[in-house]
Amino acid sequence: MLTIANKTFNSRLFTGTGKFSSAALMEDALLASGSELVTVALKRVDMNDPQDDILRHLQHAHINLLPNTSGVRTAKEAVFAAQLAREALQTNWLKLEIHPDPKYLMPDPVETLRATEELVKMGFVVLPYIHADPVLCKRLEEVGAAAVMPLGSPIGSNKGLKTIDFLEIIIEQSKVPVVVDAGIGSPSDAAKALEIGADAVLVNTAIAVAGQPVQMATAFKMAVEAGRIAYEARLAKPLNTAIASSPLTAFLDETSMAKFSL
Amino acid sequence: MLTIANKTFNSRLFTGTGKFSSAALMEDALLASGSELVTVALKRVDMNDPQDDILRHLQHAHINLLPNTSGVRTAKEAVFAAQLAREALQTNWLKLEIHPDPKYLMPDPVETLRATEELVKMGFVVLPYIHADPVLCKRLEEVGAAAVMPLGSPIGSNKGLKTIDFLEIIIEQSKVPVVVDAGIGSPSDAAKALEIGADAVLVNTAIAVAGQPVQMATAFKMAVEAGRIAYEARLAKPLNTAIASSPLTAFLDETSMAKFSL
Amino acid sequence: MLTIANKTFNSRLFTGTGKFSSAALMEDALLASGSELVTVALKRVDMNDPQDDILRHLQHAHINLLPNTSGVRTAKEAVFAAQLAREALQTNWLKLEIHPDPKYLMPDPVETLRATEELVKMGFVVLPYIHADPVLCKRLEEVGAAAVMPLGSPIGSNKGLKTIDFLEIIIEQSKVPVVVDAGIGSPSDAAKALEIGADAVLVNTAIAVAGQPVQMATAFKMAVEAGRIAYEARLAKPLNTAIASSPLTAFLDETSMAKFSL
Amino acid sequence: MLTIANKTFNSRLFTGTGKFSSAALMEDALLASGSELVTVALKRVDMNDPQDDILRHLQHAHINLLPNTSGVRTAKEAVFAAQLAREALQTNWLKLEIHPDPKYLMPDPVETLRATEELVKMGFVVLPYIHADPVLCKRLEEVGAAAVMPLGSPIGSNKGLKTIDFLEIIIEQSKVPVVVDAGIGSPSDAAKALEIGADAVLVNTAIAVAGQPVQMATAFKMAVEAGRIAYEARLAKPLNTAIASSPLTAFLDETSMAKFSL
């Protein structure tokens, strides 16, 4: 079972709320995913309306909200957004996203570290979204990040685990949970992340824009579970020489072949 | 539901019997996998002993045997081995493997085509194991192969879908089921094969040599199901520009920031 | 120096004549490439006209023509085309291409083997274009192919060495020169092929459709030479742990730091 | 021609001095490489000895020294080391390396940004070695870095351009030269970096530990030049459908085949 900041999760699949064609479809997909941690952008929530449409669709006992700061460009903006989020959504959990770049939405390492340090002091449970940078991950851990969320590839690109060489180093070194976020484009990508030892993945785009989001959410749920089981059951390493599953045989001697002469 | 030669399968995970540390462990793993088609090398079966150990562990209603010709080097040897197998195991299904190369066990395209043609005429249901060669797959289909089994990477290498560019062409063009065989090293590899439209996968080494084969078999079962669901639910394509899951926001105006002055 | 069928080559870059915007540009690019073996499709040559435009631009002492059978679909057609080519171009060298598939132009392994065997008996120097199939390469060698030409990826796709795992096996096992043909999209791809031990590469599309074909031909020339030198000078293997180019130092003691107090 | 901080370079291959089996061999290799910018670790230089062995072998008119701070773990140590280097080697150029992690030697983004800002103010020409982090590259540019040196893969790993998806973003966005540093394991890797638009590469391990370092240096020189020419001559993009280099032909009609009846 996965534990982050004293909260335990049965599901290692975290999800998001963007890009669904309707809030009802989003709800169905998130329920199918089994996800217990769902990130929501502050902007999408009408904080003055207790009946806000998105929030209403997320009111399930097993779903924990993870507000994110998508859209902020500096630590200062992030801290402000975090406070708004805590007040509005009544949770001190936060997915910290600081991305000054409007095209690729790559995260800012320096502002993210600064904001994490500040927000931890303010009592937030901070899960920072970052590049797959092993040293940055250690530094975030040192200032109190509850988990680290390195990217697999650019957000929404569906390109998969392009950073796998660095994710492996991060997983080897991290003392807090590692959640692979961004770029996971298919259930096989998600399974792979778990197989190499990631503690969880966060998936949004690949579910939301699939032909059938609810079924795709189910597929991700199963793939994540499969990946985790495989990690625990210990995969064998790739080899450079083939080893036959069925060993070569010498059973075909001339005598017996004669019997079935062709 | 997958159909090969008028037989339907609920499971798209085919398995093998090699390399398990015991026949009992093999049985447990194969049951966990849900596999309904299990390949067995002729040599491993003591054909004079109805109580042969391996066969005894495969006696389950949902398990169909798929004898293979592992070890043969020519079409002639393959045809002979097929006849032995049919007599011994009372099935006309056959996984045709002809690999003259003892190091990498790569299949022989010419002998395989020749043997397939002959064996089909003799009433066999032939599933040939071959290189991921799109033209060869079409020719095997033309001479009556019930399915084609292109390799992902060398047998037992656990290197995954190294031939994916060619598997995609094969899947696009094939009128018979495509079963990716050899090289699948992890559940994520298996899921990927199904996601791109393969009809099934055959996995042996990665299950048999895992730290815990039974759990690994479960992981493969789930991953294969996840991959198939994802294929049917239609994955989105990779993109070259990031698209935020949560769109950029303009909610942080100066006025509201003043309220939470830091 | 590379030797094929008793002919020696200074250049390991073979080229083609298709897709250039003019014959003059083709000539300039081929001269820049330093290529000594240039393949030409039979159809492109007007065999009744000794002043055929393409041929006229290939009349250089160091350029050997390599007629190819592009467009044929069977061994029979290939043998016929080979005879036409020998008569028209006065050479018994032949790049054998048999591809029944009009979309991906993948080669036919069985017809190619059959035609090779026949053509060798008829006195041709046969260089068959084939899938990167290690067993097929051995069989072509056994029937007398002067070299084997496995593909890197589909013709004209510029996708590079997608078959590298199999090319490595082919190179390890082959007793005739291995020429990587098709799919090489950049000088770095060409260099890589030579680095892993390929004897030569054949490049056409990537030069012909470049922004500046003559300069691109020069780049390929240099890259091929670089790759060969690297192969001979023996590259080190990839490692899984970093090893500093400059070892860690302990030169920063407190005393000396005091001197430059910051 | 490449310009960094008003200095122009004919060669886009930067090199290092570590791991050579002798200083004389190093000198021969660096001369063969044509490199005009050679990085040297402070520790390797005996600053009290004007006849220090390494330095003596680098005294060539076309070679500029680029002291590096390998071994430092913080911005403070880096600034101190930089001052030592400037005094000892009489250059204000600096390759800034800050890597607290002794196993993978991954760079620290936060300390590197801090040190860059400080060192620029102190008049240094700073080339920081960093993770392939697009946002960090922009921030280093903003504080005055003369170039950015993102890594291809961990130092000394010879794994090549594992970060290529991010290098492409960095190259697209950067206003200062981009020098790919670390992980380049072969001439083809170096060529590839130049092909995608990197301004230069820094190579050390792959030359120093090659079977024949001098020849390997030559291979890298040629590959870097080839990659740059290819970049300028504009490569075509990969395609998903094959396009024959030699178009399909219809030249084989029955009449003409009759003539060569087989």
Side-chain angles (χ1 to χ4, degrees):
Chain A
M1 205 131 73
L2 170 63
T3 301
I4 300 177
N6 297 321
K7 187 173 296 200
T8 56
F9 297 90
N10 292 296
S11 167
R12 292 171 182 274
L13 174 59
F14 300 163
T15 51
T17 57
K19 299 187 191 173
F20 286 95
S21 58
S22 77
L25 182 62
M26 176 196 78
E27 183 175 19
D28 289 346
L30 296 186
L31 291 178
S33 77
S35 183
E36 296 164 345
L37 193 64
V38 177
T39 192
V40 57
L42 206 51
K43 183 208 175 184
R44 320 190 115 244
V45 180
D46 181 345
M47 285 168 289
N48 297 317
D49 178 4
Q51 295 304 310
D52 175 271
D53 196 48
I54 282 191
L55 290 187
R56 193 163 48 80
H57 285 274
L58 297 174
Q59 287 171 354
H60 293 276
H62 69 284
I63 293 184
N64 298 280
L65 295 186
L66 178 65
N68 70 60
T69 61
S70 180
V72 310
R73 290 151 300 178
T74 64
K76 191 178 172 191
E77 288 181 0
V79 170
F80 173 69
Q83 289 171 306
L84 281 182
R86 179 160 61 179
E87 184 172 280
L89 300 178
Q90 297 294 310
T91 175
N92 64 340
W93 283 54
L94 187 76
K95 182 183 171 201
L96 178 62
E97 296 184 39
I98 305 181
H99 35 57
D101 160 26
K103 181 166 179 191
Y104 296 104
L105 303 173
M106 301 295 289
D108 184 316
V110 179
E111 294 294 304
T112 302
L113 180 62
R114 186 173 297 157
T116 300
E117 190 162 15
E118 177 120 11
L119 288 163
V120 168
K121 286 179 187 157
M122 293 168 72
F124 284 91
V125 173
V126 184
L127 292 79
Y129 163 62
I130 44 171
H131 200 50
D133 178 330
V135 176
L136 180 60
C137 286
K138 289 309 284 182
R139 299 203 57 168
L140 288 163
E141 175 186 315
E142 286 161 13
V143 301
V148 288
M149 303 186 82
L151 57 81
S153 45
I155 290 186
S157 71
N158 289 329
K159 286 189 174 181
L161 304 185
K162 295 291 189 183
T163 58
I164 190 164
D165 291 81
F166 303 95
L167 293 174
E168 289 178 334
I169 295 174
I170 291 169
I171 290 164
E172 177 187 332
Q173 298 183 333
S174 186
K175 290 177 186 150
V176 293
V178 176
V179 182
V180 178
D181 183 15
I184 291 178
S186 64
S188 59
D189 290 339
K192 183 79 179 169
L194 275 288
E195 285 169 4
I196 65 170
D199 295 280
V201 290
L202 194 153
V203 178
N204 183 347
T205 300
I207 293 173
V209 307
Q212 302 178 55
V214 178
Q215 288 81 344
M216 193 60 77
T218 304
F220 271 98
K221 176 183 193 291
M222 296 168 72
V224 165
E225 290 173 15
R228 179 65 187 183
I229 294 170
Y231 170 72
E232 293 176 346
R234 300 193 308 283
L235 288 163
K237 295 285 175 209
L239 298 173
N240 273 319
T241 302
I243 298 175
S245 297
S246 308
L248 290 173
T249 62
F251 65 89
L252 299 165
D253 59 70
E254 287 305 319
T255 316
S256 57
M257 286 197 77
K259 183 174 157 200
F260 286 92
S261 61
L262 309 175
Chain B
M1 205 129 76
L2 172 62
T3 301
I4 300 177
N6 298 321
K7 187 172 296 200
T8 57
F9 297 90
N10 292 296
S11 167
R12 292 171 182 275
L13 174 59
F14 300 164
T15 52
T17 56
K19 299 187 190 173
F20 286 94
S21 57
S22 77
L25 181 61
M26 177 197 78
E27 183 175 20
D28 290 345
L30 297 186
L31 291 177
S33 76
S35 182
E36 296 164 345
L37 193 64
V38 177
T39 191
V40 58
L42 206 50
K43 183 208 177 185
R44 318 190 116 242
V45 179
D46 181 344
M47 285 168 289
N48 297 319
D49 179 3
Q51 296 304 310
D52 174 271
D53 197 47
I54 281 190
L55 291 185
R56 193 164 46 80
H57 285 274
L58 296 174
Q59 288 171 353
H60 294 275
H62 69 285
I63 293 184
N64 299 280
L65 294 186
L66 178 65
N68 70 60
T69 61
S70 181
V72 310
R73 290 152 298 177
T74 63
K76 191 178 173 192
E77 289 180 2
V79 170
F80 173 70
Q83 290 170 304
L84 281 183
R86 179 160 60 179
E87 182 171 284
L89 300 178
Q90 297 295 308
T91 174
N92 63 341
W93 283 53
L94 187 76
K95 182 183 172 203
L96 178 62
E97 296 183 40
I98 305 180
H99 35 57
D101 160 26
K103 181 166 180 189
Y104 296 104
L105 302 173
M106 301 298 287
D108 184 315
V110 179
E111 294 295 303
T112 302
L113 179 62
R114 186 174 299 157
T116 299
E117 190 163 14
E118 175 119 13
L119 289 163
V120 167
K121 287 178 188 157
M122 293 167 72
F124 284 91
V125 173
V126 184
L127 293 80
Y129 163 64
I130 42 170
H131 201 51
D133 179 328
V135 176
L136 181 60
C137 286
K138 289 309 286 181
R139 300 203 55 168
L140 288 163
E141 177 187 312
E142 287 161 11
V143 300
V148 288
M149 303 185 83
L151 57 82
S153 47
I155 290 187
S157 72
N158 288 329
K159 286 190 174 184
L161 304 184
K162 294 292 189 183
T163 57
I164 189 164
D165 292 81
F166 304 96
L167 293 174
E168 288 177 335
I169 295 174
I170 292 168
I171 290 165
E172 177 188 330
Q173 298 183 334
S174 187
K175 290 179 185 147
V176 294
V178 177
V179 182
V180 179
D181 184 16
I184 291 179
S186 64
S188 59
D189 290 339
K192 183 81 179 168
L194 274 289
E195 285 169 3
I196 65 170
D199 295 280
V201 292
L202 194 153
V203 178
N204 183 347
T205 301
I207 293 173
V209 308
Q212 302 178 54
V214 179
Q215 287 81 344
M216 193 60 77
T218 303
F220 270 99
K221 177 183 194 292
M222 295 167 73
V224 166
E225 291 172 16
R228 180 64 188 184
I229 294 171
Y231 171 71
E232 292 176 346
R234 301 194 306 285
L235 287 163
K237 296 281 174 211
L239 298 173
N240 273 319
T241 303
I243 298 175
S245 297
S246 308
L248 290 173
T249 62
F251 65 87
L252 299 164
D253 59 70
E254 288 305 317
T255 316
S256 57
M257 287 197 76
K259 184 174 156 201
F260 285 92
S261 62
L262 310 173
Chain C
M1 203 129 77
L2 172 61
T3 300
I4 300 178
N6 298 321
K7 187 172 296 199
T8 56
F9 297 90
N10 292 296
S11 167
R12 291 171 183 274
L13 174 59
F14 300 164
T15 51
T17 57
K19 298 187 190 174
F20 286 94
S21 57
S22 77
L25 181 62
M26 176 197 78
E27 183 176 19
D28 289 346
L30 297 186
L31 291 178
S33 77
S35 183
E36 296 164 345
L37 193 64
V38 176
T39 192
V40 58
L42 206 50
K43 182 208 177 185
R44 320 191 116 243
V45 179
D46 180 345
M47 286 168 289
N48 298 318
D49 178 4
Q51 295 304 309
D52 174 88
D53 197 49
I54 282 190
L55 290 186
R56 192 163 47 80
H57 285 274
L58 296 174
Q59 286 170 355
H60 293 276
H62 69 286
I63 293 185
N64 298 280
L65 295 185
L66 179 65
N68 69 60
T69 62
S70 182
V72 310
R73 289 152 299 177
T74 62
K76 191 179 173 193
E77 288 181 1
V79 170
F80 173 69
Q83 289 170 306
L84 281 182
R86 180 161 59 180
E87 181 171 285
L89 300 178
Q90 297 295 308
T91 175
N92 65 341
W93 283 53
L94 187 76
K95 182 183 172 202
L96 177 62
E97 296 183 39
I98 305 180
H99 34 59
D101 160 26
K103 181 166 179 190
Y104 296 104
L105 302 172
M106 301 297 288
D108 184 315
V110 179
E111 294 295 303
T112 302
L113 179 63
R114 186 173 298 156
T116 299
E117 190 162 13
E118 176 120 11
L119 289 163
V120 167
K121 287 179 188 157
M122 293 167 72
F124 285 91
V125 173
V126 184
L127 293 80
Y129 163 64
I130 43 171
H131 200 51
D133 178 329
V135 175
L136 180 60
C137 285
K138 289 309 284 180
R139 299 204 57 168
L140 288 163
E141 176 187 313
E142 286 161 12
V143 299
V148 288
M149 304 186 83
L151 57 82
S153 44
I155 290 187
S157 72
N158 289 329
K159 286 190 174 181
L161 304 184
K162 293 292 187 184
T163 57
I164 190 165
D165 291 81
F166 303 96
L167 293 174
E168 288 177 335
I169 295 174
I170 291 168
I171 290 165
E172 177 187 331
Q173 297 183 334
S174 187
K175 290 178 185 148
V176 294
V178 177
V179 182
V180 178
D181 184 16
I184 291 179
S186 64
S188 60
D189 290 339
K192 183 80 181 169
L194 275 289
E195 285 169 4
I196 65 170
D199 294 280
V201 290
L202 194 153
V203 179
N204 183 347
T205 300
I207 294 173
V209 307
Q212 302 178 53
V214 179
Q215 288 80 343
M216 193 60 77
T218 304
F220 270 98
K221 177 183 193 291
M222 296 168 72
V224 165
E225 290 172 17
R228 180 62 187 185
I229 294 171
Y231 171 71
E232 292 176 346
R234 300 194 306 286
L235 288 163
K237 296 283 176 208
L239 298 173
N240 273 318
T241 303
I243 298 174
S245 298
S246 310
L248 291 173
T249 62
F251 64 88
L252 299 165
D253 60 70
E254 288 304 318
T255 316
S256 57
M257 286 197 78
K259 184 174 156 201
F260 286 92
S261 61
L262 311 173
Chain D
M1 204 130 75
L2 171 62
T3 301
I4 300 177
N6 299 320
K7 187 173 295 199
T8 57
F9 296 90
N10 292 297
S11 167
R12 291 171 182 275
L13 174 57
F14 301 163
T15 52
T17 56
K19 299 187 190 173
F20 286 94
S21 59
S22 77
L25 181 62
M26 176 197 78
E27 183 176 18
D28 290 346
L30 297 186
L31 291 178
S33 77
S35 183
E36 297 164 344
L37 192 64
V38 177
T39 192
V40 58
L42 205 51
K43 184 207 175 185
R44 318 191 117 244
V45 180
D46 181 345
M47 285 168 289
N48 297 317
D49 178 3
Q51 295 305 311
D52 173 271
D53 198 47
I54 281 191
L55 291 187
R56 193 164 47 80
H57 285 274
L58 297 173
Q59 286 170 355
H60 294 276
H62 70 285
I63 293 184
N64 299 280
L65 294 185
L66 178 65
N68 70 60
T69 61
S70 181
V72 310
R73 288 152 300 178
T74 63
K76 191 179 171 190
E77 288 181 1
V79 170
F80 173 69
Q83 289 171 308
L84 281 182
R86 180 159 60 179
E87 183 172 282
L89 300 178
Q90 297 295 308
T91 175
N92 65 339
W93 283 54
L94 187 77
K95 182 183 172 202
L96 178 62
E97 296 185 37
I98 305 181
H99 36 56
D101 159 26
K103 181 167 180 190
Y104 296 104
L105 303 172
M106 301 297 288
D108 184 317
V110 179
E111 294 295 303
T112 302
L113 179 62
R114 186 174 296 156
T116 299
E117 189 163 14
E118 175 122 13
L119 288 163
V120 168
K121 287 179 188 159
M122 293 168 72
F124 284 91
V125 172
V126 183
L127 292 80
Y129 163 63
I130 44 171
H131 200 51
D133 178 329
V135 176
L136 180 59
C137 285
K138 290 307 285 180
R139 300 204 55 169
L140 288 163
E141 176 187 313
E142 285 161 12
V143 300
V148 288
M149 304 186 82
L151 56 81
S153 45
I155 291 186
S157 72
N158 289 330
K159 286 190 175 181
L161 304 185
K162 294 293 189 181
T163 58
I164 189 165
D165 291 82
F166 303 97
L167 293 174
E168 288 177 335
I169 295 174
I170 291 168
I171 289 165
E172 176 188 331
Q173 298 184 333
S174 188
K175 291 178 187 149
V176 295
V178 176
V179 183
V180 179
D181 183 16
I184 291 177
S186 65
S188 60
D189 291 339
K192 182 80 180 170
L194 275 289
E195 285 169 3
I196 64 169
D199 295 280
V201 290
L202 194 153
V203 179
N204 183 347
T205 301
I207 293 173
V209 307
Q212 302 178 55
V214 178
Q215 288 81 344
M216 193 58 78
T218 303
F220 270 99
K221 177 182 192 291
M222 296 167 72
V224 165
E225 290 172 14
R228 180 64 187 184
I229 294 171
Y231 170 72
E232 293 175 346
R234 300 192 308 283
L235 288 162
K237 297 282 174 209
L239 299 173
N240 272 319
T241 302
I243 298 176
S245 297
S246 308
L248 291 173
T249 63
F251 65 89
L252 299 165
D253 59 69
E254 288 304 318
T255 316
S256 58
M257 287 197 78
K259 183 173 157 199
F260 286 91
S261 62
L262 310 174

